[in-house]
Structures are given as structure tokens and as C-alpha cells.
């Protein structure tokens, strides 16, 4: 038997001026989990999209099962047994899960789609991998964890035995990640080969057999999991060590910038309905919201930012009642917002990096004077942001669609933080960014706080909440179950409150 079922040798790939992959090397063994790691924009997604036939390679060779493949597109990649679960979800929101899974591969009965057969086929996979998926829900109604499982089912249904997972855990809660890892272990046990891309070294160390590192389009080497350490991997990725410790300053907190008073908000999901929540954020402090995803955090943020109706109660920003005002009016009252989903709410991918950076301020000075756009001011600002946040590539005239996932995230963060508003809502601010960028973004939030901004931070990473926040508010099923000062908080007491607190647990025990 051949040692490798996939070999990618001396791969080169450019997009216009941008050399995405200079010298890419990658091999895959049958039945292994091979992780691909490296900084943002280093060519990981590109390498795997080449293997999946999404773009042609400029030079080099791709060998699958011993056969050198001359022409590859997603259809033929699937025929060769290669499937890919993408970094940015590609599901259609208005369709049901079932419709999404069969999209493009509908089983036909005569001229009509055979939904009965489709349902049976899919159910077979759902049972086999013990996935928790509701086929008749619309995609807009399911959690990101479930959407991730849908993407995996979709790929498995194509009958592939090589599965590429591009940052599958970036959007998952720790609980959902556990579930995903069980599914991956099952797949591996069946002899499937998995490629896993992630910025989370603890995950990489947990599930990999081998790990390959890329740096700026260049292959840096492959190591056995058992013979390496996170420290060595970090050095291979960046060439230095990174310490994610924030020197937290307890600055003087000022008056209230945000007051949420007993709000009630409805939601399609039972656990996400907000049932009477009150909280406040002061000037110069970071308040973290901890909770298991789907317990009302998105609804809370949408209610504050004007994207969802507040049924009862009120929201006060900078002393003004902004309850149920239009999002734009709320922004102008003093709100900046890093949204949880950069693709639907954060960026307009048809516009350039520069225009995205100034998008919300485009009709104000200094970018517009009278009716004239001030082109110099805007370019100068874009240049500064690109430098400060290390956005790569640095050509700010490129559309954001040309950016890697992590670099796109940096654009959103740069724009919102630099507006210097009174209140900054940061939802999952470091989602999908590499360890160096996590350091930059976390320090930026700390600096904003020192300047007097009140920050409301929502993050699925408990460690991030603990290390950044001054106060932590824990929510469960749309209610606040506790509040802790950051120096009293740890994963245990937060975890307990996230499950509903002691009362809930006792209730659960007597019930069962
Ligand atoms: N369709 C495209 N058009 C132009 N440039 C692109 C395109 N796709 C990727 N690039 C560029 O290629 C480089 C590598 O991007 P890639 O998406 O492979 O990075 P990555 O390692 O996956 O990063 P991340 O961790 O942020 O997802 C980046 O500089 C990116 O801007
Ligand atoms: Mg990527």
C-alpha cells in the first residue's frame, strides 16, 4: 500500500498580486487526523481549496490515491473521495436543513425530488454518527453548532473518505466542540482521513496524529503530535513565543453608559427568550457575558443594538432612551458593535478594505467635506488601520472578499474600536484570528477601556471572558444567574452558573 492517499508537492498559487501559497507541501495518510496550522492569511484555506478543486494550482502537483490529477474541480474532487467543510458556512438560510443537505444532489423520482428517499438517506447518517440535527427546521432557526453538523452531514452524504474541516470549532462552544470531536473520532475509526484546520492549539494537540505548519505561504514542516508541544508549534508558526496575559488595569470607572432595565425579548428558540434581564455597563470597564451559546446572548445584543424588538422594559444609552430605536439612530447615540457574524452584519464584501473601514462614518468629516469625499483622509486612515491591526495583505484597495477569515475579522474590529464610541459591544471579537492577532485585539479592548469606553464583551471562550473582564455576568435561559468580580471567577463557579446555578441543579436532581 502507498504511504499517502494525498500528496501535494511544490504547490504555488497566486491571486493577482497576492502570493497565497509560495511553496505548499502536504501529505495525508489513510485513517489519520492531520492538522494544518499557521497565522491568519498564511495559505491554509487556499491549500485545502486547491485540494478540493475550487481553484486551479499555478504549479506543483496533486496526487490522490497514487494518481496525479491534472484537472480538478469540486465535482471531480468528490469523485476522487475528497470533501470539504468550509470556514464560512455556505448554507441557505431560507431553506430547511433537509433541502440544504440535498441541494445540488437531489435524488429524483421522475422529474420531482424524492424527499422520502432523501430523508431516509440522511437519517441513516444522522443515526450512524449520532448527530443532533433537526431536518425540518429552517437554517435561520438552528444554532451555529447544529449548522456545523449539517455541513458535515452534507459532506459525508457525498460518500467521501477524505474530509477537510476548515476551522470547524471557531464558532462552537466547548460543549459543541466535544460533540464534534466524538463525531470525528467515529469517522477516524471507520478509516476516514481528516484534515483539521484550527487556531486552537489545545484542540490540535488533542485530536491530531500529525501537524503541519505554514508561515506566509510557505510550508514549515510536519511533526508527530506525540513529539511536539504547543510551545514548539507556536515558534514554528510565528518565530517567537506569545503570551496571552493581559496586564489588566483597574481603571476608575465612571458613570453608566448602558443600562438595560428588566427587558423581555422573544425568540424562536425557547432557551433564548429573554425573561426579565437588567444590567449596566460603566465608563471604563469591561463587562463580560458568560453563558452557553443559545441562552439569550445574541438576543440581548440584538435588543440593545436595535435589531430585535424589546417587548417590555427599556434600554438607556448615554442617558437617552434608545428602546426599539433604529440601529442607525442607536449607533449615533454612541454605540460601536463588533457583530458575531462578520459576513452577514460586519462587512460588505463587494467593497474595498478601505471603504469597509470607514463604512459607517462615510458621510461624516473628515471623510466627507460638504458634498466632496475627502479621498486622502480616508486612505490615510485605512493605511493606519492596516498597520495597527496587521491586516494582510496591506493593499487596502482590495475587496474584503479577498481576505482570509482572520484578516476579515481584523477589519471589523479595527473599524469599530477606532470609532471611540462610549459603548463598545464586542461579540466573539477574536473568532477565527490567530494567536498574534488575539493578542492585538485583546490589548485594543484594554486600551479602549482605559480611554473610558464601556465594553460589553460576549465570548464563547471562558478564558477570554475571565482574562479581559472586570465584572462577569452569567446568563442561563434568558435570565441572569449570577454576577462575579473577575478576580473571584473561575471555570468552575462560572460553569455552575452557566448551567443555571445551584437551584437549577438541585431541581434537576430531584426531578430525575
Ligand atoms: N479569492 C481570493 N482572492 C484574492 N486573494 C485571496 C483569495 N483567497 C485568499 N486570498 C489571499 O491569499 C492569502 C491566503 O489566504 P487563506 O485564506 O488561505 O489564509 P488562511 O491561512 O486560511 O488564513 P485564516 O486563518 O485567516 O483563515 C491571503 O493573503 C488572502 O488574502
Ligand atoms: Mg482560512
Amino acid at each position: 500500500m502507498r504511504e499517502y492517499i494525498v500528496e501535494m508537492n511544490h504547490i504555488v498559487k497566486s491571486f493577482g498580486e497576492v502570493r497565497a501559497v509560495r511553496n505548499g507541501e502536504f501529505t495525508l495518510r489513510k485513517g489519520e487526523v492531520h492538522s494544518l496550522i499557521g497565522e491568519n492569511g498564511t495559505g491554509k484555506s487556499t491549500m485545502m481549496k486547491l485540494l478540493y478543486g475550487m481553484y486551479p494550482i499555478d504549479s506543483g502537483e496533486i496526487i490522490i490515491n497514487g494518481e496525479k490529477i491534472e484537472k480538478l474541480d469540486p465535482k471531480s474532487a468528490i469523485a476522487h473521495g475528497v470533501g470539504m467543510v468550509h470556514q464560512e458556512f455556505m448554507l441557505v438560510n431560507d431553506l430547511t436543513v433537509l433541502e440544504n443537505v440535498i441541494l445540488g444532489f437531489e435524488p429524483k423520482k421522475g422529474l420531482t425530488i424524492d424527499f422520502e428517499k432523501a430523508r431516509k438517506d440522511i437519517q441513516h447518517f444522522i443515526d450512524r454518527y449520532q448527530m443532533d440535527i433537526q431536518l425540518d427546521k429552517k437554517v435561520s432557526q438552528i444554532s451555529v453548532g447544529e449548522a456545523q453538523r449539517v455541513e458535515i452531514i452534507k459532506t459525508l452524504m457525498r460518500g467521501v473518505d477524505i474530509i477537510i474541516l476548515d476551522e470547524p470549532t471557531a464558532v462552537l462552544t466547548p460543549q459543541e466542540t466535544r460533540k464534534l470531536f466524538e463525531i470525528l473520532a467515529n469517522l477516524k475509526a471507520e478509516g476516514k482521513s481528516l484534515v483539521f484546520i484550527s487556531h486552537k492549539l489545545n484542540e490540535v494537540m488533542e485530536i491530531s496524529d500529525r501537524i503541519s505548519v505554514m508561515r506566509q505561504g510557505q510550508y514549515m514542516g510536519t511533526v508527530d503530535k506525540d513529539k511536539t508541544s504547543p510551545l514548539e508549534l507556536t515558534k514554528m508558526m510565528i518565530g517567537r513565543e506569545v503570551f496571552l496575559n493581559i496586564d489588566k488595569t483597574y481603571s476608575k470607572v465612571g458613570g453608566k453608559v448602558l443600562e438595560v432595565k428588566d427587558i423581555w425579548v422573544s425568540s424562536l428558540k425557547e432557551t433564548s427568550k429573554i425573561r426579565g434581564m437588567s444590567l449596566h455597563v460603566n465608563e471604563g470597564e469591561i463587562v463580560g457575558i458568560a453563558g452557553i451559546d443559545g441562552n439569550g446572548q445574541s438576543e440581548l445584543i440584538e435588543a440593545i443594538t436595535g435589531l430585535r424588538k424589546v417587548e417590555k422594559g427599556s434600554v438607556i444609552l448615554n442617558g437617552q432612551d434608545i428602546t426599539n430605536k433604529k440601529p442607525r439612530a442607536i449607533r449615533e447615540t454612541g454605540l460601536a458593535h463588533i457583530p458575531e457574524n462578520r459576513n452577514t452584519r460586519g462587512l460588505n464584501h463587494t467593497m474595498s478594505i478601505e471603504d469597509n473601514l470607514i463604512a459607517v462614518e462615510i458621510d461624516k468629516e473628515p471623510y466627507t467635506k460638504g458634498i466632496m469625499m475627502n479621498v486622502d483622509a480616508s486612505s490615510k486612515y485605512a493605511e493606519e488601520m492596516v498597520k495597527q491591526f496587521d491586516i494582510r495583505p496591506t493593499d487596502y484597495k482590495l475587496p474584503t472578499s479577498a481576505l482570509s477569515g482572520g484578516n476579515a475579522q481584523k477589519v471589523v474590529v479595527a473599524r469599530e474600536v477606532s470609532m471611540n464610541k462610549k459603548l463598545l459591544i464586542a461579540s466573539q471579537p477574536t473568532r477565527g484570528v490567530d494567536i498574534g492577532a488575539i493578542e492585538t485585539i485583546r490589548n485594543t479592548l484594554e486600551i479602549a477601556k482605559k480611554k473610558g469606553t464601556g465594553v460589553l464583551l460576549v465570548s464563547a471562550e471562558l478564558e477570554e471572558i475571565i482574562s479581559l473582564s472586570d465584572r462577569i455576568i452569567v446568563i442561563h435561559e434568558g435570565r441572569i444567574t449570577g454576577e462575579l468580580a473577575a478576580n473571584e471567577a473561575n471555570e468552575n463557579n462560572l460553569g455552575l452558573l452557566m448551567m443555571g446555578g445551584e437551584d437549577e441543579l438541585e431541581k434537576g436532581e430531584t426531578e430525575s
Side-chain angles (χ1 to χ4, degrees):
M1 210 177 86
R2 304 179 60 88
E3 182 173 14
Y4 300 120
I5 54 172
V6 170
E7 285 171 66
M8 298 175 78
N9 300 321
H10 317 303
I11 304 288
V12 177
K13 177 69 189 174
S14 297
F15 296 100
E17 304 278 283
V18 180
R19 262 285 169 91
V21 177
R22 286 159 203 277
N23 176 26
E25 305 283 340
F26 190 78
T27 57
L28 190 63
R29 292 184 180 134
K30 188 171 159 48
E32 80 165 339
V33 178
H34 190 159
S35 290
L36 185 55
I37 63 173
E39 289 184 274
N40 292 133
T42 227
K44 305 178 299 292
S45 296
T46 304
M47 273 296 276
M48 289 305 126
K49 285 178 183 171
L50 292 170
L51 177 58
Y52 186 56
M54 288 179 72
Y55 324 108
I57 51 176
D58 294 346
S59 64
E61 58 175 12
I62 298 179
I63 300 170
I64 305 176
N65 287 316
E67 180 189 346
K68 182 169 169 192
I69 313 288
E70 293 303 338
K71 228 180 141 294
L72 203 57
D73 57 46
K75 261 224 152 86
S76 62
I78 289 170
H80 281 103
V82 181
M84 180 158 180
V85 177
H86 293 279
Q87 182 169 11
E88 316 289 346
F89 289 159
M90 299 194 168
L91 300 175
V92 184
N93 267 329
D94 288 335
L95 297 182
T96 65
V97 168
L98 178 71
E99 289 162 341
N100 263 284
V101 173
I102 58 174
L103 199 65
F105 291 80
E106 296 87 351
K108 292 277 171 60
K109 205 194 237 157
L111 284 174
T112 54
I113 298 175
D114 188 347
F115 279 107
E116 276 319 297
K117 178 170 172 7
R119 183 180 296 275
K120 256 173 76 193
D121 290 352
I122 300 171
Q123 197 58 48
H124 168 77
F125 280 95
I126 291 180
D127 294 344
R128 178 142 138 223
Y129 298 106
Q130 296 170 17
M131 290 196 208
D132 185 6
I133 289 180
Q134 311 161 76
L135 287 176
D136 296 312
K137 280 256 165 90
K138 286 222 165 110
V139 165
S140 53
Q141 296 172 357
I142 62 177
S143 72
V144 279
E146 192 164 345
Q148 184 73 68
R149 293 193 290 274
V150 173
E151 292 276 9
I152 293 173
I153 275 276
K154 211 176 150 176
T155 304
L156 285 171
M157 291 281 299
R158 312 291 183 250
V160 298
D161 33 51
I162 296 165
I163 302 165
I164 304 162
L165 297 130
D166 193 351
E167 289 192 43
T169 61
V171 293
L172 300 187
T173 60
Q175 293 78 5
E176 289 170 326
T177 299
R178 295 261 57 89
K179 259 193 208 159
L180 174 69
F181 280 12
E182 281 169 26
I183 295 170
L184 299 187
N186 284 339
L187 289 168
K188 182 180 151 164
E190 276 183 14
K192 307 250 186 233
S193 311
L194 307 172
V195 182
F196 180 74
I197 301 179
S198 175
H199 290 290
K200 301 178 187 172
L201 288 182
N202 54 343
E203 295 179 355
V204 166
M205 289 301 288
E206 179 179 340
I207 76 164
S208 315
D209 296 295
R210 293 191 301 152
I211 301 159
S212 285
V213 181
M214 290 185 77
R215 194 197 294 179
Q216 297 182 17
Q218 202 90 31
Y219 170 68
M220 302 300 292
T222 303
V223 289
D224 284 336
K225 194 271 295 289
D226 295 335
K227 297 194 189 107
T228 189
S229 65
L231 192 65
E232 183 192 34
L233 292 173
T234 310
K235 279 191 190 150
M236 280 173 85
M237 284 194 290
I238 348 196
R240 67 179 173 102
E241 292 169 33
V242 174
F243 298 99
L244 278 185
N245 291 327
I246 297 278
D247 283 326
K248 205 189 283 181
T249 51
Y250 291 94
S251 42
K252 264 216 334 255
V253 300
K256 288 180 185 162
V257 280
L258 174 74
E259 263 189 284
V260 172
K261 295 182 179 167
D262 192 29
I263 59 165
W264 294 69
V265 179
S266 76
S267 167
L268 285 169
K269 247 184 93 187
E270 203 51 37
T271 55
S272 313
K273 288 184 179 149
I274 296 188
R275 307 146 215 255
M277 212 184 261
S278 299
L279 57 90
H280 71 274
V281 178
N282 294 316
E283 280 173 29
E285 72 168 347
I286 299 183
V287 176
I289 300 282
I292 297 167
D293 200 41
N295 277 264
Q297 40 277 79
S298 308
E299 285 73 11
L300 170 67
I301 302 305
E302 286 173 7
I304 298 172
T305 54
L307 295 164
R308 188 179 282 263
K309 188 162 177 257
V310 178
E311 317 234 297
K312 231 169 82 187
S314 60
V315 184
I316 315 289
L317 176 61
N318 270 332
Q320 293 183 43
D321 190 332
I322 54 152
T323 321
N324 292 325
K325 290 258 161 63
K326 292 245 156 45
R328 199 180 166 96
I330 296 175
R331 273 189 172 272
E332 278 165 7
T333 312
L335 166 84
H337 179 203
I338 301 166
E340 64 178 339
N341 187 333
R342 60 180 170 257
N343 292 313
T344 52
R345 295 217 167 112
L347 294 171
N348 181 337
H349 282 312
T350 61
M351 301 194 319
S352 67
I353 297 174
E354 173 179 347
D355 288 347
N356 268 292
L357 278 168
I358 60 167
V360 266
E361 305 277 277
I362 204 158
D363 53 359
K364 300 218 177 81
E365 293 202 32
Y367 309 115
T368 300
K369 274 218 166 91
I371 53 162
M372 298 287 286
M373 281 277 289
N374 185 345
V375 179
D376 285 351
S378 138
S379 296
K380 202 169 143 246
Y381 169 72
E383 198 175 319
E384 256 174 52
M385 287 297 113
V386 162
K387 205 191 267 158
Q388 188 185 332
F389 286 86
D390 192 24
I391 295 164
R392 290 183 238 176
T394 54
D395 178 2
Y396 47 80
K397 300 288 180 194
L398 288 170
T400 51
S401 57
L403 292 177
S404 73
N407 280 293
Q409 180 70 16
K410 293 182 206 167
V411 173
V412 178
V413 173
R415 179 184 69 211
E416 298 299 322
V417 171
S418 61
M419 288 195 295
N420 291 320
K421 298 281 185 165
K422 283 282 196 187
L423 176 70
L424 171 64
I425 296 184
S427 296
Q428 320 292 354
T430 59
R431 176 173 281 177
V433 306
D434 64 46
I435 190 163
I438 290 178
E439 198 183 26
T440 313
I441 291 175
R442 289 190 181 176
N443 281 321
T444 316
L445 294 181
E446 185 69 19
I447 291 167
K449 161 182 137 180
K450 273 188 219 153
K451 281 196 201 156
T453 299
V455 181
L456 186 62
L457 169 72
V458 181
S459 172
E461 310 275 338
L462 266 193
E463 178 267 328
E464 177 156 286
I465 295 266
I466 295 172
S467 69
L468 276 177
S469 311
D470 301 300
R471 272 192 297 135
I472 300 171
I473 291 171
V474 190
I475 65 176
H476 172 75
E477 295 190 352
R479 287 197 186 88
I480 294 176
T481 49
E483 179 178 325
L484 295 169
N487 53 15
E488 306 162 356
N490 55 49
E491 306 223 339
N492 289 333
N493 55 20
L494 288 179
L496 186 64
L497 290 167
M498 284 164 68
M499 303 297 288
E502 283 176 12
D503 294 351
E504 281 288 318
L505 284 188
E506 278 163 19
K507 206 172 78 192
E509 271 163 23
T510 48
E511 268 168 16
S512 60

